[in-house]
Amino acid sequence: SKKPLWQVEYCYSFNRKQEKPAKLIVCGYRDRVKEGLGKVGAEYWGIDLREENYLEFIDKDKLVYLTGDSEVELDDVTPDNVYIVGGLVDHNRIKFGTYNKAKGEGIRHGRLPINQNVTLRSTHILTVNHTFEILVKKLSGDDWKSALQSTIPVRKKDEGIRKREKKQQKEGENQGQEEAHKEESQEGQEQQEKQEEVNGDKKEIEEEKA
């Protein structure tokens, strides 16, 4: 698959344009990815290329595994930590895959604070390149809202907005039906009271005639 290579190229291209670029490490790759990186001359890009696993050369206390399944929400992005974007191929995602990997390796984990900053569809899974871009922007001084909203594709936000509007419309229709039912019940009660009043008047007239 060319997707991992494309994502590495995108991250490198975005990072090199920043005033405060992050240190980009690509590790644990094999076979075709290794061959692809060699063909595009990635060794000259100024990124850290390593075939070994991150646990072999990075202090575990500095690692933070990013996973959408984590119950921990990131407060900030700091240069003291090394953030792992789990896996370069993000389609056919395995539920809790990265979360379980982080737990099994005894690594801290966290997720981006998406819910309170951007309206998305039900899934909050972002691509590797988008996640990297958000981290770099936050590291450069952007707040979470700005970093997330300027990075996440419009289509994902639009889908979330459409879903929210549909929900609001449905809630509005239900509320309208409840109010209409309430008005009908009130009108029926008023008519019943008027009818009882008329019947009472008729009874009084009949009694007077008798």
Side-chain angles (χ1 to χ4, degrees), residues 65-130:
Y65 212 127
L66 294 183
T67 168
D69 297 314
S70 175
E71 67 277 8
V72 180
E73 204 166 69
L74 289 185
D75 293 326
D76 201 0
V77 177
T78 68
D80 298 328
N81 291 322
V82 178
Y83 298 89
I84 303 171
V85 183
L88 287 171
V89 181
D90 43 42
H91 58 279
N92 297 329
R93 179 177 175 271
I94 301 174
K95 186 68 175 173
F96 292 108
T98 50
Y99 176 80
N100 290 334
K101 182 174 174 58
K103 294 280 284 185
E105 293 177 341
I107 298 173
R108 285 180 296 159
H109 52 82
R111 58 184 170 84
L112 300 178
I114 296 176
N115 288 334
Q116 67 269 38
N117 290 292
V118 185
T119 300
L120 295 180
R121 56 183 177 180
S122 56
T123 177
H124 292 165
I125 306 306
L126 303 179
T127 62
V128 167
N129 44 287
H130 287 142

Side-chain angles (χ1 to χ4, degrees), residues 169-185:
Q169 182 181 4
K170 187 174 182 180
E171 289 175 350
E173 290 174 354
N174 291 338
Q175 185 177 357
Q177 291 174 357
E178 290 176 1
E179 290 176 354
H181 180 70
K182 189 183 295 183
E183 290 176 359
E184 290 176 0
S185 299

Side-chain angles (χ1 to χ4, degrees), residues 195-207:
Q195 187 63 45
E196 290 176 354
E197 186 177 345
V198 171
N199 292 339
D201 291 341
K202 285 182 179 180
K203 187 175 182 181
E204 289 179 3
I205 293 173
E206 290 173 356
E207 288 176 353

Side-chain angles (χ1 to χ4, degrees), residues 145-183:
K145 192 178 188 69
S146 175
L148 287 161
Q149 290 192 347
S150 63
T151 303
I152 294 175
V154 174
R155 59 179 175 78
K156 289 181 75 72
K157 289 187 283 189
D158 286 346
E159 287 171 359
I161 291 170
R162 286 198 298 270
K163 185 176 181 179
R164 182 181 62 185
E165 290 177 345
K166 187 176 181 181
K167 182 180 179 181
Q168 290 175 342
Q169 182 181 4
K170 187 174 182 180
E171 289 175 350
E173 290 174 354
N174 291 338
Q175 185 177 357
Q177 291 174 357
E178 290 176 1
E179 290 176 354
H181 180 70
K182 189 183 295 183
E183 290 176 359

